Structures are given as C-alpha cells and as structure tokens.
Amino acid sequence: MPPSDYSERILRLIGAKGYQPRGIREIARAIGIGEDESGDFHAACKALMKTGRVVLGSSRALTLPEPRGRITGTYRANPKGFGFVIPDEPNAHGDLYVPRGGAADAITGDTVIAQVRKRGKRDGRMLYEGRIVDIVKRGHSRFVGELSRAARRSYVIPDGNTFHAPILVGDPGAKGARPGDKVVVEITHYPEGHGEARGVIVKVIGPRGRPDVDALAIVEQYGLPGDFPEDVLDAARSAGQSFDARREARGREDLRELTVITIDPTNSRDFDDAISLTTNSDGTCELGVHIADVAHFVREGTPLDDEAKERGNSVYLPNMVIPMLPETLSNGVCSLQERQSRLTKSVFITFNRRGTVKKTRLANTITKSTKRLTYEQASRILDGKPGRTSVKIVSLMNDLEALARRIQARRRRQGMLTLELPEAELVHGDDGSVVDVLPRDTSYSHTIIEMFMVEANEAVARVLEGVGVPYLRRIHDEPSGTAWGGLARFLDALGHTLPDEPDRGRVQATLDAVRGKGESFAVNLAVLRSMRQAEYSPLSIGHYALASDAYCHFTSPIRRYPDLTVHRLIDLYLAGTLTKPTKGAPRGRKKKKGRRQEPTGDGAIAAAPPSVEDLHQLGRHCGDRERRAESAGRELTQVYVLRLLEKHIGDVFDGVVTGVANIGVYVQLTRYLIDGLLRFQGLMDDWWEVDAARGAILGERSGARIAIGDRLRVVVSRINLSTRQMDLALADPLPSAGKKPRGARGAGRKSGKTGRRAKAVRSPGRGKRRRAPSNRR
C-alpha cells in the first residue's frame, strides 16, 4: 500500500466527527494495520506530523491541528445571513462559522480564504469564527430562476437554496424573455454588503409551470450534460454497425443455448444484466450473472471513453434519462435485448444448500436473452399466476426465488442491514405533469435481483482482491462516533439500547423488533441518518451496511463509469496479466492466477491497471457526479410533487414527523412522501423546547410532546416553488394540557437553556431518500 493510502486512512479516522484522541498504536489497530505494514504506517504518521496535518498532543495522542491564521475552504451560506466555511484541510474544529456581515460578497459554492479568530469557550472547548477575506474561485456564476418585474425593474429569483437574493437584469427583452419565464442568468456583478446582484439573461428555457420546462430548468441548474459531441456519436455508430456476433463469438464462452432472463422495470430500455441458474445433483447450484460487455465497445482513452468518464453516470430524472453512453450503445448493441446475441462478462457463483459461496469464476461470454420479464410479470409468476409464461421460465423463477431467500438469510446472519422506509412512484399524465403519487412496488422480485447483483459485485471484488490489483471499490465506512452516540441516545428514549461501539447485529435486531410497530418509521429513519454515504475509493475499507469486506460495482457499466473500470480489469485478469501482486495490493490475501482467456475484438484490453492515485481522483470525480445526479433527481421530484400539491392548498393530509428544528417540526405527507414545515407559530400557544438528542419538542406549559415518528394530521397552507418549501398547519389540536402525552417521560431533559431553542436536528433531507442498503446496483 502506498504512503498516500495510509495517510488518507489516518486522516479519515482522525477527521471523523466524535473522534477521541488516540495514540499511534490505537490508531493502527483501529484501521487494521498489520505487523508487515507497521513501518510504512509509522512513516505516514511522521510525514503527516511534519507537514502539520496532524499534531501529537497530550498523552502522545494524535489529533488534528486547531484552526489558526487563515484557512481555505468552500463557503455555504444560510438564508439568515450567516454561513460556514468547510475547510479543504481537516482541522480539530471542523466547519468554521461565519457570522452575518462576515462573508463579504461570497455565495454558496465559492472557494474562499477566511481569517480565523477565537470567540470564546463552551463546555471547555475553544470556539472559532471567521471572516472571509478573499474569494479564490467562484463556485457558481449562472443561475436558473423566474423572471419577474416590479417597480419598473426586472429581476430573477434564483431557484433552490444556492443563492438567496434577487438578481437584477437590465434588458430582458434582448433574449425575448417575458415575466413568468424560466431563464438562465449569468451574474456580472456579485452583491457587496447591502448591494444588489446584477446579471444578464443568457437563455430562455420557457414559460413557468410546464413539466418540460421544469425538467430543463433542473438540467441547467445542475449543469447536467446535453447532447453528445459529433465525434462521440460517430464512434458509437461505428461500434454498433461493426458488431458481428459470429466474429465476436470467437474466444468467448457461448451461452446462447442457456436459459437466460432479464428482469427490469416496465419502461426500461437499457438492459445491462441478465441471470441464469444451473442446479447440480449434489445440491449445489451455479448462478450466472451476465453483464453487458461495454468495455468491448468503449475503449480506454478514446473520445467515447472520455465523454463517458466526464459524465460519470447516467442521470435518471422523473420521465427523463440523460445517458452516459449514446443510445446506439446503451439501448442498442450493449442492451441485453430478448433473442439478440450480445457480448457479456459473466460471473458464475456456485452456492451450497445454505446459500454459501463455494466457488467463483469469471468469463467473457456471448449470451442471448431467452425472456424479458418486468418486475410485475416476475411477481405474478411467483404468486402462482404465470399466464402464458412457459413452464421452463416459471420453474427457473421459482428456483431463483429459493436461492435468493437462502442468500438473503446468509447475508443477514453475516450482519447485512435491511431498512424499511417508504418510497414513492410518480404517475405522469399525457403532458408529463405529475397527476398522482403511488407507493413503489416492493415485491420480492426486486429483492431477487438485488441479492444477485450484490453477490456478483462482491464476487468480482474477491477475485480482484486475490490478484492484489488496486481497483475502484464501493466503500461504506461504519458510523462515526458522534453519529453512533446520537443513534444510541435516540433509541434509548424509545426503550432500545445499543452498545458503545457500532454493532450491525444489534442495529438489525432493533429494526426487526420494531417491524410493524408504531415506532418503526422513526427507528428506521434514525438508523439511515446515522449512516455515512457510500463512496468510490481504492481504500480497503469494506461495505458496512452490506457486511462485506470487499465490494465494488460491476453490474451496471451502461450507466456507471466505475463499473466500466472494473470490466477492464476483468479483461486483464482473463488475459492472465494480473497474476502478480502490484503496488497497492491489499495484505493477507493469497494471490490467485487468473484463468487465461484470449483477448477478443480489436485491442479492447487496457494496457495496465490504473494507479492508486488515479483511482483516488476518479473515485472523487465519480462520487461528485453521482451526488449531482441524485440531487437533481430529488429536486425535480420535489418540484413536480409541489406543483401537484399547489392544487391542494387547504386540504388535510396524514403526516409523520421526520425532523425537529429551532423553527418548528418537519412533517412528511405519508401519501406524497414530501416534507413540509410546521412552524412553532402554527402550534398551540406555548413555549417549545427542542430536545435534539431525542428528536422531540416539548411544550413547557401544556406538557404536549411531538417526536420523530409521531403521526399528525396537517393542512397544506403555503407552497413556495422557488425555494422548494411547503408550510403546514395542524388540522387537529394537540393533547390538552391536562393529559400526559405519549413518550413525555424523560423528555424534560432539555438540550438548551430554558427559553432558548436548541440546535436543530438534521431534517431527513426534504426529499432525500435512499433505498435499503441492499439496493440492486
């Protein structure tokens, strides 16, 4: 492992929220340093201390340095005027608070330099604040918003929460824009002090309220990619036109006589995975997971590859897809369409009767999908309603279900976490607008595919571990000390206890204990919030939620660039060139010799595996692109649902409390799965104390208590589409002062002084939703 890898692991541990100073030996144990790595680990510690990135404090414990002088970081503004600088280099204090008036003309996303100064102590800890003294780089210069006109002045109100002030525009007519149009405005003069921002309209998207305009506005707002360049389209067309199944089959295992099926959503067009199952007389079975061989068509270093890497992933918006690859490939020769010969990379996994892996094999193959099933069709087969589906497919589906249940049981024994949180499916009308929101299908056919894709991803990672090659892993670290402590306190208030250190088994036992009970939603939501976000990185950290020591993404190369990099390593492995450990190889693994398979096609195999440093950079890039795509999808979903709810102002809905803050409580409408704010002013006349640790508010006079997970009936009172906010009011009165509300015991421990509202609990993200950790891909 190179020194930079050790350094990143050390900084990752020390920089985590809730870190308690530890000695060098304790840190080595915490990050799994073996005896053979001790020298390199100590060298990395010394290098970090020499450069001042860590300091050796009292009791010879390593900590991050206190902020001093000036720091560089990214500014995040709050609508109330203050903000925070997220430092580029971690320090012991964390994010730097910037008070109102200290931000100069910085806006959210700017890279800034801030002067640090002390502002006193709290609970024995020094607090700091900053004043921005220089803007190194603007994070945003273009904004999307609605053109308005008042007092003979035209201005644009930016959408979202990046920039909170109106932008004056001088001549909106130059682009033919009219009040009410969605436009793109470029800032020419940033606001200074109490001054105003000024800009020019560079693009008119269309009139407010049209679904297609809403979608295009999100595309512009997030800088999502548009049309492919002509040279990329030409390359994709050439790859598609030159595909000859008979020629390409040479050197590949021919599986076209094998029964292979795909199971996908009804509206899918890019089928990148298929499955098969062969049972053996000794009770074992061989699962085949067959993935579109995108690496054969997208060769490293070509314009097609460069464009795919820059995009990072396909972006799935409601009713709209922005593909990573041109449709000639994604929906054509790479898509595993029914009865079409397609090039695939296959992983064959042999399981015993208990669903335990006994053997794994990789191969370049050519397959032909026997049957394309939708999830609904697969579910009907499993429910005993096969219709005209052939006996062969029905039998296969039943065998696949039995295997998936064995795998799921094994993975749960190993510690895999399974969350149960509701998800929504938008129903679109003919014009693209959202006309309804329905619960997402959670039938077991989805779980079948999820289990098989997780097994395939893990199997490929095991092979790459065995040959000691650095690769882009999908890592998911355990919860930080602070997050775990917060979860433990929250669950303690509900009568559930957790140990001092993260323990997946205890978490899952708690989730199982509350299944079907009133507090189930609150517990599942609290567990989700305690988890870190999964990342792409070459660091050997494992996947906490999946209880996997080594994990990568392999199953979706049509829509994820990290999968494509793994496919190229498989080509090297099958060609027999990854038989020796390389720099950066994980320790303690027996090196396996790859099963040699001759290259196919015309020079599609990469010359060498990427370096660890290249993988770090690629992981950060792909992670940024992934978060951008997820944020864009969430926000457009939010816009569509808020537009639907504009027709329901004054209507009453059932809701569940999802967060508390110093301005009120967040309530999610259970039908639409969207959050609104129930402000303190809308509650009964009382003084409300916020118990952040337990996710509750308590009325001092009435004794009324509202906590995360509580059910309320609320009225939609106001919607502001520009800021993506919905205000709610109570439809029914809270329990009267004479009644002791549910859960009031222990709630009197206040997290702030009497008469002050404490720091807010993080909201569930107002639309930020994730599926259970065993998500299909």
Side-chain angles (χ1 to χ4, degrees):
M1 183 182 296
S4 61
D5 214 346
Y6 290 110
S7 298
E8 185 155 343
R9 291 174 69 183
I10 294 166
L11 290 172
R12 186 185 184 91
L13 174 69
I14 298 177
K17 291 183 178 180
Y19 168 77
Q20 297 296 321
R22 306 183 191 187
I24 292 177
R25 288 185 180 179
E26 291 179 280
I27 290 174
R29 284 196 297 270
I31 63 176
I33 299 298
E35 292 183 8
D36 57 330
E37 299 175 297
S38 179
D40 290 337
F41 168 74
H42 280 85
C45 288
K46 289 179 181 179
L48 289 171
M49 288 187 282
K50 185 175 181 179
T51 57
R53 299 179 73 186
V54 301
V55 295
L56 194 62
S58 59
S59 303
R60 299 188 62 77
L62 283 183
T63 64
L64 293 172
E66 292 289 339
R68 61 185 61 186
R70 296 184 174 190
I71 66 168
T72 302
T74 304
Y75 183 63
R76 293 284 182 268
N78 185 283
K80 295 184 178 180
F82 61 87
F84 295 90
V85 175
I86 296 90
D88 291 343
E89 289 287 339
N91 61 60
H93 182 269
D95 297 349
L96 182 67
Y97 172 72
V98 178
R100 178 188 289 272
D105 61 340
I107 63 175
T108 294
D110 287 351
T111 301
V112 301
I113 296 175
Q115 182 72 44
V116 181
R117 63 186 181 189
K118 296 178 181 179
R119 62 185 183 107
K121 289 187 175 182
R122 179 185 297 168
D123 299 327
R125 182 178 179 226
M126 180 61 68
L127 299 180
Y128 297 86
E129 67 179 27
R131 181 175 60 86
I132 294 176
V133 295
D134 191 21
I135 297 173
V136 179
K137 181 182 177 182
R138 290 290 184 182
H140 302 275
S141 61
R142 289 191 174 197
F143 296 90
V144 175
E146 183 179 328
L147 178 63
S148 301
R149 186 169 177 80
R152 297 185 178 180
R153 299 205 302 176
S154 297
Y155 57 92
V156 174
I157 303 294
D159 290 341
N161 294 295
T162 300
F163 190 58
H164 308 289
I167 303 169
L168 295 179
V169 291
D171 185 14
K175 287 287 182 178
R178 299 178 179 180
D181 282 348
K182 283 283 184 182
V183 299
V184 181
V185 60
E186 182 160 353
I187 291 185
T188 57
H189 179 79
Y190 288 85
E192 297 179 4
H194 297 290
E196 298 168 318
R198 296 181 178 276
V200 295
I201 293 174
V202 295
K203 185 175 183 179
V204 178
I205 301 173
R208 171 192 60 196
R210 274 183 13 200
D212 61 323
V213 171
D214 285 335
L216 293 174
I218 289 292
V219 169
E220 291 285 348
Q221 180 180 329
Y222 282 91
L224 299 177
D227 295 336
F228 287 96
E230 274 304 315
D231 59 338
V232 172
L233 291 174
D234 289 342
R237 281 191 288 266
S238 176
Q241 292 167 359
S242 63
F243 173 64
D244 184 324
R246 182 177 299 179
R247 183 183 70 245
E248 305 296 354
R250 292 197 297 269
R252 290 177 176 264
E253 289 188 35
D254 195 334
L255 306 179
R256 285 177 287 185
E257 298 302 315
L258 185 67
T259 301
V260 175
I261 63 171
T262 62
I263 306 177
D264 288 277
T266 304
N267 57 354
S268 288
R269 291 187 295 168
D270 53 344
F271 311 123
D272 50 14
D273 57 84
I275 50 178
S276 63
L277 186 66
T278 304
T279 56
N280 303 317
S281 58
D282 61 357
T284 63
C285 62
E286 183 182 74
L287 172 70
V289 178
H290 315 285
I291 306 300
D293 191 355
V294 176
H296 178 86
F297 298 97
V298 182
R299 301 173 186 174
E300 191 170 9
T302 63
L304 189 55
D305 177 56
D306 292 342
E307 181 69 18
K309 182 190 295 184
E310 174 59 28
R311 291 179 177 232
N313 52 256
S314 296
V315 181
Y316 291 86
L317 303 175
N319 233 19
M320 178 182 183
V321 177
I322 302 174
M324 182 180 81
L325 298 171
E327 292 190 355
T328 305
L329 297 179
S330 62
N331 298 344
V333 293
C334 289
S335 184
L336 308 184
Q337 298 162 343
E338 186 174 307
R339 296 191 296 275
Q340 298 296 317
S341 295
R342 291 291 183 256
L343 304 184
T344 45
K345 279 182 166 50
S346 299
V347 53
F348 300 95
I349 312 170
T350 301
F351 297 92
N352 66 12
R353 297 177 190 271
R354 285 175 56 83
T356 301
V357 177
K358 305 304 292 182
K359 186 170 60 175
T360 299
R361 182 172 69 87
L362 306 181
N364 277 326
T365 56
I366 184 167
T367 58
K368 182 184 291 186
S369 172
T370 309
K371 180 68 176 177
R372 187 249 162 154
L373 294 175
T374 66
Y375 283 114
E376 292 78 9
Q377 290 172 326
S379 295
R380 286 196 292 271
I381 292 172
L382 298 178
D383 290 339
K385 303 172 184 176
R388 297 183 178 180
T389 308
S390 70
V391 174
K392 179 172 65 174
I393 299 299
V394 172
S395 176
L396 175 60
M397 279 301 307
N398 289 325
D399 290 343
L400 291 170
E401 180 191 18
L403 175 60
R405 291 190 184 279
R406 293 197 295 271
I407 291 172
Q408 186 180 34
R410 186 206 85 222
R411 297 199 72 94
R412 292 197 59 171
R413 289 194 301 270
Q414 293 171 339
M416 180 186 74
L417 296 176
T418 304
L419 300 180
E420 293 184 355
L421 287 168
E423 293 188 83
E425 195 78 48
L426 302 185
V427 180
H428 295 268
D430 294 338
D431 63 349
S433 63
V434 171
V435 296
D436 202 357
V437 180
L438 299 176
R440 180 164 290 171
D441 176 29
T442 57
S443 58
Y444 201 75
S445 59
H446 290 271
T447 305
I448 291 173
I449 297 300
E450 289 170 2
M451 289 297 99
F452 293 164
M453 297 304 118
V454 167
E455 288 292 303
N457 287 334
E458 192 174 63
V460 170
R462 280 197 304 269
V463 171
L464 297 179
E465 288 279 291
V467 295
V469 64
Y471 63 98
L472 199 56
R473 305 164 187 259
R474 184 65 167 180
I475 65 172
H476 183 230
D477 211 349
E478 66 180 23
S480 68
T482 299
W484 182 260
L487 176 63
R489 288 189 296 273
F490 179 80
L491 294 181
D492 180 65
L494 297 176
H496 306 282
T497 58
L498 290 179
D500 293 336
E501 296 294 327
D503 184 326
R504 278 188 303 259
R506 293 287 292 275
V507 172
Q508 189 60 55
T510 303
L511 292 169
D512 292 340
V514 301
R515 184 174 292 116
K517 297 182 180 179
E519 69 262 40
S520 176
F521 179 84
V523 171
N524 276 268
L525 192 60
V527 171
L528 176 63
R529 291 175 178 172
S530 73
M531 295 292 149
R532 299 180 193 264
Q533 188 170 14
E535 304 173 45
Y536 291 113
S537 170
L539 291 176
S540 181
I541 288 178
H543 198 296
Y544 180 80
L546 293 175
S548 178
D549 292 333
Y551 194 74
C552 68
H553 274 166
F554 154 76
T555 55
S556 295
I558 288 178
R559 65 182 186 88
R560 286 189 311 227
Y561 193 80
D563 303 53
L564 183 53
T565 69
V566 169
H567 278 228
R568 288 170 178 153
L569 288 176
I570 291 173
D571 275 330
L572 291 173
Y573 168 78
L574 294 175
T577 61
L578 295 183
T579 57
K580 296 180 180 180
T582 59
K583 187 177 181 181
R587 65 179 180 87
R589 298 281 184 177
K590 184 178 179 181
K591 309 300 182 285
K592 299 178 183 178
K593 187 171 182 179
R595 178 183 181 276
R596 183 173 180 82
Q597 189 169 23
E598 292 300 321
T600 60
D602 183 17
I605 293 181
S611 69
V612 171
E613 184 55 39
D614 287 343
L615 289 172
H616 274 299
Q617 293 179 6
L618 181 61
R620 286 190 288 268
H621 169 74
C622 290
D624 289 342
R625 289 294 187 253
E626 178 186 37
R627 288 185 289 274
R628 179 181 71 169
E630 289 176 349
S631 297
R634 277 196 306 270
E635 187 162 343
L636 184 55
T637 297
Q638 190 179 29
V639 169
Y640 281 161
V641 175
L642 287 175
R643 283 213 186 277
L644 173 62
L645 288 172
E646 279 186 318
K647 304 170 185 176
H648 295 278
I649 300 293
D651 288 356
V652 178
F653 296 96
D654 292 328
V656 59
V657 177
T658 54
V660 301
N662 60 357
I663 55 174
V665 297
Y666 289 100
V667 179
Q668 184 177 97
L669 305 188
T670 53
R671 176 177 175 182
Y672 297 103
L673 298 187
I674 189 170
D675 282 18
L677 178 61
L678 178 58
R679 299 177 185 272
F680 285 122
Q681 301 94 301
L683 299 174
M684 66 174 64
D685 186 17
D686 207 334
W687 187 252
W688 295 94
E689 287 289 345
V690 178
D691 188 343
R694 290 167 176 78
I697 62 171
L698 183 69
E700 285 191 345
R701 291 195 296 270
S702 66
R705 181 178 185 266
I706 301 176
I708 293 175
D710 283 354
R711 304 283 171 172
L712 299 174
R713 283 171 56 78
V714 294
V715 177
V716 176
S717 60
R718 188 178 73 93
I719 288 175
N720 186 329
L721 268 168
S722 177
T723 58
R724 320 309 195 205
Q725 292 179 338
M726 175 172 61
D727 284 348
L728 304 172
L730 273 179
D732 300 324
L734 292 173
S736 62
K739 296 181 180 179
K740 191 172 184 178
R742 176 182 67 82
R745 181 182 177 185
R749 276 188 255 169
K750 298 165 186 174
S751 52
K753 296 180 181 179
T754 301
R756 294 184 64 187
R757 296 182 180 124
K759 184 179 179 181
V761 172
R762 184 166 66 88
S763 161
R766 277 159 277 184
K768 181 175 183 178
R769 305 204 55 77
R770 287 181 243 174
R771 290 199 73 171
S774 56
N775 191 302
R776 171 178 188 173
R777 315 174 196 223

